[in-house]
Amino acid sequence: MAGAKFWQGTMSDTDLPAREAMEFDVVIVGAGPAGLAAAIRLKQLDPELGVVVVEKGSEVGAHILSGAVVDPIGLDRLLPEWRKDADAPLKTPVTDDRFYWLGPAGGLRLPNILMPPLMSNHGNYVVSLGNVCRWLATKAEALGVEIYPGFAAAEVLYGDQGEVVGVATGDMGIGKNGEHKDSFTRGMDLRAKYTLFAEGARGSLSKQLIAKFELAKDREPQKFGIGLKELWKVAPEKHKPGLVQHSFGWPLDNSTGGGSFLYHLEDGQVVVGFVVHLNYKNPYLSPFDEFQRFKQHPFIRDTFVGGKRISYGARAITEGGWQSVPKLTFPGGALIGCAAGFINVPRIKGSHNAVLSGMQAAEHVNAALKDGRIGDEITDYEDAWRATDIGRDLKRVRNVKPLWSKLGTMIGIACGGLDMWTNTFGFSLFGTLKHGKPDSATLEPAAKFKPIAYPKPDGVVSFDKLSSVFLSNTNHEEDQPVHLVVKDMALQKSSEHDVYAGPSNRYCPAGVYEWVEETSGPRFQINAQNCVHCKTCDIKDPNQNINWTVPEGSGGPNYPNM
Ligand SMILES: Cc1cc2nc3c(=O)[nH]c(=O)nc-3n(C[C@H](O)[C@H](O)[C@H](O)COP(=O)(O)OP(=O)(O)OC[C@H]3O[C@@H](n4cnc5c(N)ncnc54)[C@H](O)[C@@H]3O)c2cc1C
Ligand code: SF4
């Protein structure tokens, strides 16, 4: 089968020049672990396949934000020899695994013996997932995969029968009012026999596909958290490579789900992060400020005193798990990785399942291509996943999140732990619990709450939002249409502002949204250039009135070792 070839694309808009088109066997959207694993597996199975990966970040890894403690089950299957590769950026095995419950002034370490075996991090590695992706990209390119960083897939292309036939990258050089600048260039049609969507949590095209093909029908709503993270270089005497620490409890109250992670990597680096479940009710809650407050805890603060903060970022994480994974396939393509939501919530791990799902989809696509099929539905991938390692991983923990949401942190986690233990032996006392409402529907009117007075940052371990965003190296071409599309501005004022007191200002970890008081009334200001592409606004806006779309390619954060 051939690699890429050019032909003149069809005129999709009569006012615009036609897009050029390139043809591949498989187009993959997103160079995260899922997309890169799929690309590598396809070329391992058939070196002649034409495979392309488009990535909206300026380079592979630029938009990857994760913990990360990685379970190597996926890599062991994809690249069985990886431990012999001196360039593999998995250098720090987990040596010490700790869980804490925190109160305001102290805490309790939970004995490891109480933890269900699936929660053990023994055999896992502390990594920068961005660097793992950079390394996977070199493996993919060595096999002949074409990777185009700096190109955002902006549109799904459909064939005559409604099947997916590829994607189009966004036009470049459009000014903020829609005018074409001198630099205007049309995007490119990337056409394929099959297209795999590996956009990660709340993918912008994946969201459209889930709606168009009703992939979430008969499933529980997808649930999400927002994860905020910092990378630090700490004082040498405080560095304990391989130490992995998780906590729950303070500073969140019992009815707000979430918790922290703190991992010691190599070279004096420590990552600290905080996840807040996006089903919180209080519109005054600010995940960013909860994170800053968390670092002041007596068990945590000392690690960072005398250290230097290197980077900051945020990203949504899927939390719905087993019950919420949508149907994975549709004519001409499939969802892989966190675009489908393969996160194991209590383990805060999804990269292993991202790799495994990329591989599984690749194997089914390759089999279809071998049979001469084009653009039909890869139903075997959908039919098989629940009986694979991904399904087994998610099924055992399926009740942890709903129990936490329904019963609060203390009782919910205890019941979740019990359920994980019974599932270890193959049964559950709870069956399969439902998640209930989507996260956009959980906020309650501001009138029911008092504003939260968060402490001022001390500039030593806690910081303000704007100096934090600076460390994400976020950059967007300023003269371009705002990529955060508010569908109905009047609704934003009458509901988001008047009823919920402007929660976007607090849930956005990058200071993008502000209500500016003017003589004519409050105005919704969108500082789109600060956006770190976490997707929280697309998830949490109470009216689903904000639509995250891709900005011009390369725009967004430039995370170093995140
Ligand atoms: C705070 C946090 C902590 C986590 N901790 C861990 C952990 O310790 N261990 C673990 O295993 N997992 C962890 N995870 C989960 C893990 O990061 C994900 O499971 C994993 O990254 C999913 O891989 P993916 O390839 O599906 O998506 P992603 O890693 O999100 O990659 C998607 C890629 O697609 C690109 N993209 C998206 N849309 C487009 C588009 N339209 N056009 C072009 N490119 C596009 C993005 O820029 C990105 O590079 C954590 C997640 C978070 C948020
Ligand atoms: S604008 Fe939306 S996607 Fe961008 S950083 Fe803020 S919440 Fe995240």
Side-chain angles (χ1 to χ4, degrees), residues 282-310:
N282 182 349
Y284 289 115
L285 186 135
S286 162
F288 175 86
D289 291 294
E290 297 294 342
F291 176 35
Q292 298 306 318
R293 178 146 80 167
F294 157 76
K295 285 183 288 165
Q296 297 290 1
H297 192 275
F299 283 15
I300 306 298
R301 188 172 199 276
D302 185 56
T303 303
F304 301 103
V305 173
K308 184 173 178 348
R309 197 168 66 136
I310 313 284

Short mmCIF file of all heavy atoms in Angstrom, two decimals, residues 282-310:
data_model
loop_
_atom_site.label_atom_id
_atom_site.label_comp_id
_atom_site.label_asym_id
_atom_site.label_seq_id
_atom_site.Cartn_x
_atom_site.Cartn_y
_atom_site.Cartn_z
N ASN A 282 -19.90 24.19 44.50
CA ASN A 282 -19.75 25.58 44.93
C ASN A 282 -19.06 26.40 43.84
O ASN A 282 -17.88 26.20 43.56
CB ASN A 282 -18.91 25.59 46.21
CG ASN A 282 -18.74 26.99 46.76
OD1 ASN A 282 -19.06 27.97 46.11
ND2 ASN A 282 -18.23 27.07 47.98
N PRO A 283 -19.78 27.37 43.24
CA PRO A 283 -19.16 28.12 42.14
C PRO A 283 -18.01 29.01 42.59
O PRO A 283 -17.25 29.50 41.76
CB PRO A 283 -20.31 28.96 41.58
CG PRO A 283 -21.33 29.03 42.65
CD PRO A 283 -21.17 27.80 43.48
N TYR A 284 -17.87 29.20 43.91
CA TYR A 284 -16.75 30.02 44.40
C TYR A 284 -15.45 29.21 44.54
O TYR A 284 -14.40 29.76 44.82
CB TYR A 284 -17.10 30.65 45.76
CG TYR A 284 -18.14 31.74 45.65
CD1 TYR A 284 -19.39 31.59 46.24
CD2 TYR A 284 -17.87 32.91 44.96
CE1 TYR A 284 -20.35 32.59 46.14
CE2 TYR A 284 -18.82 33.92 44.85
CZ TYR A 284 -20.05 33.75 45.44
OH TYR A 284 -20.99 34.75 45.33
N LEU A 285 -15.55 27.90 44.37
CA LEU A 285 -14.35 27.09 44.52
C LEU A 285 -13.36 27.39 43.38
O LEU A 285 -13.74 27.54 42.22
CB LEU A 285 -14.73 25.61 44.49
CG LEU A 285 -13.58 24.65 44.78
CD1 LEU A 285 -14.04 23.57 45.76
CD2 LEU A 285 -13.06 24.00 43.52
N SER A 286 -12.09 27.46 43.73
CA SER A 286 -11.06 27.71 42.73
C SER A 286 -10.02 26.58 42.81
O SER A 286 -9.23 26.53 43.77
CB SER A 286 -10.38 29.06 43.00
OG SER A 286 -9.14 29.10 42.32
N PRO A 287 -10.02 25.67 41.85
CA PRO A 287 -9.05 24.57 41.90
C PRO A 287 -7.61 25.07 42.00
O PRO A 287 -6.80 24.51 42.73
CB PRO A 287 -9.30 23.82 40.57
CG PRO A 287 -10.73 24.11 40.24
CD PRO A 287 -10.97 25.51 40.72
N PHE A 288 -7.30 26.16 41.28
CA PHE A 288 -5.94 26.71 41.34
C PHE A 288 -5.57 27.09 42.77
O PHE A 288 -4.48 26.77 43.27
CB PHE A 288 -5.82 27.94 40.42
CG PHE A 288 -4.49 28.63 40.53
CD1 PHE A 288 -3.42 28.21 39.76
CD2 PHE A 288 -4.30 29.68 41.41
CE1 PHE A 288 -2.17 28.82 39.88
CE2 PHE A 288 -3.06 30.31 41.54
CZ PHE A 288 -2.00 29.87 40.77
N ASP A 289 -6.48 27.80 43.45
CA ASP A 289 -6.17 28.26 44.81
C ASP A 289 -6.16 27.11 45.81
O ASP A 289 -5.41 27.15 46.79
CB ASP A 289 -7.16 29.36 45.22
CG ASP A 289 -6.93 30.62 44.42
OD1 ASP A 289 -5.86 31.23 44.56
OD2 ASP A 289 -7.80 30.97 43.59
N GLU A 290 -6.96 26.08 45.56
CA GLU A 290 -6.91 24.89 46.43
C GLU A 290 -5.52 24.25 46.32
O GLU A 290 -4.93 23.81 47.31
CB GLU A 290 -7.99 23.87 46.04
CG GLU A 290 -9.42 24.34 46.21
CD GLU A 290 -9.84 24.59 47.66
OE1 GLU A 290 -9.16 24.10 48.58
OE2 GLU A 290 -10.86 25.31 47.86
N PHE A 291 -5.01 24.20 45.10
CA PHE A 291 -3.68 23.63 44.86
C PHE A 291 -2.60 24.44 45.60
O PHE A 291 -1.73 23.89 46.29
CB PHE A 291 -3.42 23.60 43.35
CG PHE A 291 -2.06 23.13 42.93
CD1 PHE A 291 -1.38 22.13 43.63
CD2 PHE A 291 -1.44 23.68 41.81
CE1 PHE A 291 -0.12 21.68 43.21
CE2 PHE A 291 -0.20 23.25 41.39
CZ PHE A 291 0.47 22.26 42.09
N GLN A 292 -2.68 25.77 45.46
CA GLN A 292 -1.67 26.61 46.11
C GLN A 292 -1.74 26.44 47.63
O GLN A 292 -0.74 26.39 48.32
CB GLN A 292 -1.85 28.08 45.70
CG GLN A 292 -1.67 28.34 44.21
CD GLN A 292 -0.33 27.83 43.67
OE1 GLN A 292 0.72 27.97 44.29
NE2 GLN A 292 -0.36 27.19 42.50
N ARG A 293 -2.98 26.35 48.14
CA ARG A 293 -3.16 26.19 49.57
C ARG A 293 -2.61 24.83 50.04
O ARG A 293 -2.00 24.72 51.09
CB ARG A 293 -4.67 26.30 49.86
CG ARG A 293 -5.07 26.11 51.28
CD ARG A 293 -6.24 26.95 51.63
NE ARG A 293 -7.51 26.39 51.18
CZ ARG A 293 -8.68 26.84 51.60
NH1 ARG A 293 -8.75 27.87 52.43
NH2 ARG A 293 -9.80 26.31 51.17
N PHE A 294 -2.85 23.80 49.23
CA PHE A 294 -2.39 22.45 49.57
C PHE A 294 -0.86 22.43 49.83
O PHE A 294 -0.39 21.76 50.76
CB PHE A 294 -2.75 21.49 48.42
CG PHE A 294 -1.91 20.25 48.38
CD1 PHE A 294 -2.11 19.22 49.29
CD2 PHE A 294 -0.88 20.13 47.45
CE1 PHE A 294 -1.30 18.09 49.27
CE2 PHE A 294 -0.08 19.01 47.42
CZ PHE A 294 -0.28 17.99 48.34
N LYS A 295 -0.12 23.21 49.02
CA LYS A 295 1.35 23.16 49.17
C LYS A 295 1.81 23.76 50.50
O LYS A 295 2.96 23.59 50.88
CB LYS A 295 2.01 23.89 48.00
CG LYS A 295 1.98 23.09 46.71
CD LYS A 295 2.71 23.81 45.59
CE LYS A 295 1.88 24.98 45.13
NZ LYS A 295 2.63 25.94 44.31
N GLN A 296 0.90 24.46 51.19
CA GLN A 296 1.27 25.03 52.50
C GLN A 296 1.11 24.01 53.63
O GLN A 296 1.44 24.30 54.78
CB GLN A 296 0.38 26.25 52.82
CG GLN A 296 0.54 27.41 51.86
CD GLN A 296 1.90 28.11 52.02
OE1 GLN A 296 2.72 27.72 52.83
NE2 GLN A 296 2.12 29.13 51.20
N HIS A 297 0.61 22.83 53.33
CA HIS A 297 0.39 21.85 54.40
C HIS A 297 1.73 21.46 55.03
O HIS A 297 2.74 21.31 54.34
CB HIS A 297 -0.31 20.59 53.84
CG HIS A 297 -0.80 19.68 54.91
ND1 HIS A 297 0.00 18.72 55.50
CD2 HIS A 297 -2.00 19.59 55.52
CE1 HIS A 297 -0.70 18.07 56.41
NE2 HIS A 297 -1.92 18.58 56.45
N PRO A 298 1.75 21.30 56.39
CA PRO A 298 3.03 20.98 57.05
C PRO A 298 3.71 19.71 56.52
O PRO A 298 4.93 19.61 56.59
CB PRO A 298 2.64 20.81 58.53
CG PRO A 298 1.16 20.95 58.61
CD PRO A 298 0.67 21.55 57.35
N PHE A 299 2.94 18.77 55.96
CA PHE A 299 3.58 17.56 55.41
C PHE A 299 4.22 17.82 54.04
O PHE A 299 4.97 16.99 53.54
CB PHE A 299 2.54 16.44 55.21
CG PHE A 299 2.14 15.73 56.46
CD1 PHE A 299 2.41 16.25 57.72
CD2 PHE A 299 1.45 14.51 56.38
CE1 PHE A 299 2.02 15.59 58.87
CE2 PHE A 299 1.07 13.84 57.54
CZ PHE A 299 1.34 14.38 58.78
N ILE A 300 3.84 18.93 53.41
CA ILE A 300 4.20 19.16 52.01
C ILE A 300 5.21 20.30 51.84
O ILE A 300 6.17 20.20 51.08
CB ILE A 300 2.92 19.50 51.18
CG1 ILE A 300 1.84 18.41 51.36
CG2 ILE A 300 3.24 19.72 49.70
CD1 ILE A 300 2.23 17.03 50.89
N ARG A 301 4.97 21.38 52.58
CA ARG A 301 5.67 22.65 52.33
C ARG A 301 7.19 22.50 52.29
O ARG A 301 7.86 22.99 51.39
CB ARG A 301 5.26 23.66 53.41
CG ARG A 301 5.76 25.06 53.16
CD ARG A 301 5.15 26.05 54.15
NE ARG A 301 5.30 27.40 53.63
CZ ARG A 301 6.39 28.12 53.77
NH1 ARG A 301 7.43 27.65 54.43
NH2 ARG A 301 6.46 29.33 53.22
N ASP A 302 7.71 21.79 53.28
CA ASP A 302 9.16 21.75 53.45
C ASP A 302 9.89 21.21 52.21
O ASP A 302 11.01 21.63 51.92
CB ASP A 302 9.50 20.90 54.68
CG ASP A 302 10.99 20.94 54.93
OD1 ASP A 302 11.51 22.06 55.08
OD2 ASP A 302 11.62 19.87 54.93
N THR A 303 9.27 20.30 51.47
CA THR A 303 9.92 19.74 50.28
C THR A 303 10.33 20.85 49.31
O THR A 303 11.34 20.74 48.62
CB THR A 303 8.96 18.77 49.56
OG1 THR A 303 8.58 17.77 50.47
CG2 THR A 303 9.59 18.13 48.33
N PHE A 304 9.54 21.93 49.29
CA PHE A 304 9.74 22.95 48.25
C PHE A 304 10.50 24.19 48.72
O PHE A 304 10.97 24.97 47.90
CB PHE A 304 8.37 23.34 47.65
CG PHE A 304 7.69 22.14 47.07
CD1 PHE A 304 6.65 21.50 47.73
CD2 PHE A 304 8.15 21.59 45.89
CE1 PHE A 304 6.07 20.36 47.22
CE2 PHE A 304 7.58 20.45 45.36
CZ PHE A 304 6.53 19.82 46.03
N VAL A 305 10.60 24.35 50.04
CA VAL A 305 11.32 25.52 50.55
C VAL A 305 12.79 25.36 50.13
O VAL A 305 13.38 24.31 50.31
CB VAL A 305 11.18 25.63 52.09
CG1 VAL A 305 12.08 26.74 52.63
CG2 VAL A 305 9.73 25.87 52.47
N GLY A 306 13.35 26.42 49.53
CA GLY A 306 14.74 26.35 49.07
C GLY A 306 14.86 25.78 47.66
O GLY A 306 15.95 25.66 47.12
N GLY A 307 13.71 25.42 47.06
CA GLY A 307 13.73 24.89 45.69
C GLY A 307 13.29 25.95 44.68
O GLY A 307 13.03 27.09 45.04
N LYS A 308 13.21 25.56 43.41
CA LYS A 308 12.83 26.51 42.36
C LYS A 308 11.73 25.88 41.51
O LYS A 308 11.85 24.71 41.09
CB LYS A 308 14.05 26.79 41.48
CG LYS A 308 13.83 27.83 40.41
CD LYS A 308 15.18 28.12 39.74
CE LYS A 308 15.19 29.09 38.61
NZ LYS A 308 14.07 29.58 37.96
N ARG A 309 10.68 26.65 41.29
CA ARG A 309 9.60 26.16 40.46
C ARG A 309 9.98 26.35 38.99
O ARG A 309 10.34 27.44 38.57
CB ARG A 309 8.33 26.96 40.78
CG ARG A 309 7.06 26.31 40.29
CD ARG A 309 5.84 26.98 40.87
NE ARG A 309 5.69 28.35 40.42
CZ ARG A 309 4.55 28.91 40.02
NH1 ARG A 309 3.45 28.18 40.03
NH2 ARG A 309 4.49 30.16 39.63
N ILE A 310 9.88 25.27 38.21
CA ILE A 310 10.35 25.31 36.82
C ILE A 310 9.18 25.46 35.84
O ILE A 310 9.29 26.12 34.83
CB ILE A 310 11.07 23.97 36.43
CG1 ILE A 310 12.08 23.56 37.49
CG2 ILE A 310 11.65 24.01 35.04
CD1 ILE A 310 13.35 24.35 37.47
#
